[in-house]
Amino acid sequence: MPIALLALALGGFGIGTTEFVAMGILPEVAEDYGVSIPTAGYMISGYALGVVIGAPVLAAVGARVDRKHLLMALMGAFTLGNLASALAPNFEFLLAARFLTALPHGTFFGVGAVVAASLVPVTKRAQAVSLMIAGLTVANIVGVPLGTAVSHAFGWRATYLLVTAVGVVTLLALAAWVPSQKPHPGTSVRAELGALKRGQVWLALAVGAVGFGGMFASYSYISPMMTDVAGFGAGAVTLILAVYGVGMTLGNLVGGRAADRWSLMPTMYVCMAAIAAVLLLMHAVASYKAPAVAAVFLLGFAGSALIPSLQMRLMNAASDAPTLAAALNHAALNIANAAGAWLGGLVIAAGYGYTAPNLMGAGLAVVGLGLALVSGLLDRRSPGGGPGAGAVRGAAEPAHAH
């Protein structure tokens, strides 16, 4: 695989670290600014909001920009946002900094997915995309625990300075390894936004927002599930989350290979069904330590295995506007994060206990599977096999040299 994929994965590592480490440093942030932990949690929801808003806007605005230059501009903004977070003089400034840091998130992955797909043969495109996304999954194994440890030792500001350093290294790697890549001559803001008129694009986004929301309904409450139900001590939660991260990393790589060697839609069907099955399993074994940890691993594996095929499905459904489609995938996943956590919280608040979000999540995953099946059925009825049969425009084009 081309070394340029390492630069893209490094960017994914930095983005994943800054997104997920917020959960681990909330107490320090709350104490430093004299706010409650729930109030400090606004920095998490503010980041998610930034991803949802930034993905379509920046992808459309940057449609005619050289993809390498756009990636560097996005990573530059991300790096400055983390530096501003580290230096935030008050909580309101920190909220604004987290929102601005999140704006490039979805577009970086969207542009990066198109670039990654362009660097390899058509038969390896999903694997290339999965290698870029691997940076995000590895962040859950290395970046988040490291960032949390740095926060405990040197303060939460040091954590954001560490991510700032990752951003600087990523900028250097992008400059050195990613080839210049001009957008297709017909690319425009109108063409990118025109992809939103297609039903298959919205169906794919719905699969991600609803189906992946099932996974987040459970994942958001893994900590109390593991302590109050399975009986682990609070100190074990970090290791359990690392197990989840290992599952994510392996599932992402296996999912990318399956999407290339098998086909996109069957891979999506299997992954959505697997998420539902694993959530039902987790509900059944949550009281038993070893099986509960195994179920956490399987949840990370099944959920992450879905992402490469979902990413490629969107890029194919909007083959003449792949950047926007790929960026919107991450907006949909952040909607899944927020909605899944909210729905999981509702069943807990209703008195059904900490395992109830697993059943809620399984139901959402089944709905996501139904949406995927509808999308596949529409493919068969359309001439030429639908979007899954086509290739992303520009994904097989040779990259322009420096």
Side-chain angles (χ1 to χ4, degrees):
M1 288 289 182
I3 194 171
L5 294 178
L6 179 59
L8 298 173
L10 187 59
F13 175 82
I15 291 173
T17 299
T18 205
E19 179 180 16
F20 295 113
V21 80
M23 290 75 160
I25 66 174
L26 277 185
E28 287 84 358
V29 172
E31 182 179 359
D32 191 16
Y33 289 123
V35 300
S36 67
I37 287 181
T39 298
Y42 291 155
M43 60 187 283
I44 298 174
S45 53
Y47 188 95
L49 180 63
V51 176
V52 173
I53 293 175
V57 172
L58 295 182
V61 170
R64 296 187 61 81
V65 179
D66 182 292
R67 289 169 182 151
K68 172 178 179 172
H69 298 158
L70 182 55
L71 284 170
M72 293 183 66
L74 294 167
M75 184 49 55
F78 170 82
T79 303
L80 290 174
N82 279 286
L83 180 60
S85 299
L87 302 177
N90 53 57
F91 184 64
E92 291 73 19
F93 190 99
L94 177 63
L95 287 181
R98 298 317 298 155
F99 175 79
L100 293 173
T101 303
L103 291 176
H105 177 129
T107 308
F108 183 89
F109 280 109
V111 177
V114 175
V115 171
S118 75
L119 298 174
V120 298
V122 173
T123 54
K124 294 186 176 180
R125 288 186 305 151
Q127 291 176 68
V129 171
S130 73
L131 286 175
M132 180 197 69
I133 297 173
L136 183 68
T137 62
V138 170
N140 284 275
I141 304 173
V142 179
V144 173
L146 177 61
T148 303
V150 167
S151 176
H152 292 161
F154 304 105
W156 66 269
R157 296 178 188 273
T159 299
Y160 286 126
L161 288 175
L162 177 64
V163 181
T164 300
V166 173
V168 171
V169 174
T170 302
L171 274 170
L172 295 175
L174 291 171
W177 297 335
V178 175
S180 177
Q181 191 174 99
K182 303 293 183 184
H184 192 277
T187 301
S188 66
V189 174
R190 178 176 294 182
E192 291 282 328
L193 295 177
L196 298 180
K197 297 178 181 179
R198 296 171 194 163
Q200 287 286 27
V201 170
W202 287 104
L203 270 174
L205 290 172
V207 171
V210 177
F212 214 74
M215 192 208 73
F216 277 115
S218 174
Y219 175 70
S220 300
Y221 302 98
I222 277 184
S223 181
M225 200 185 309
M226 292 299 105
T227 55
D228 291 22
V229 180
F232 285 101
V237 173
T238 300
L239 291 176
I240 293 171
L241 292 178
V243 169
Y244 175 84
V246 172
M248 284 184 69
T249 302
L250 293 177
N252 173 59
L253 297 175
V254 171
R257 184 174 291 271
D260 278 332
R261 295 197 172 185
W262 194 7
S263 65
L264 289 182
M265 296 311 294
T267 301
M268 287 177 63
Y269 302 152
V270 169
C271 289
M272 290 303 315
I275 292 172
V278 170
L279 286 169
L280 291 174
L281 174 66
M282 183 173 289
H283 179 74
V285 304
S287 299
Y288 308 96
K289 288 185 176 180
V293 174
V296 169
F297 171 86
L298 291 174
L299 182 62
F301 186 97
S304 196
L306 172 67
I307 296 177
S309 57
L310 187 59
Q311 186 87 76
M312 293 306 303
R313 174 65 174 177
L314 270 167
M315 291 165 64
N316 287 343
S319 59
D320 54 349
T323 302
L324 176 61
L328 283 173
N329 185 40
H330 293 273
L333 295 183
N334 273 267
I335 292 172
N337 189 343
W342 176 67
L343 290 171
L346 284 182
V347 294
I348 293 174
Y352 293 105
Y354 286 123
T355 62
N358 296 317
L359 296 179
M360 170 65 75
L364 290 172
V366 169
V367 174
L369 173 60
L371 292 170
L373 289 169
V374 169
S375 180
L377 181 62
L378 291 175
D379 270 2
R380 296 193 195 97
R381 292 182 175 180
S382 64
V392 176
R393 188 179 71 182
E397 298 168 1
H400 299 284
H402 289 284

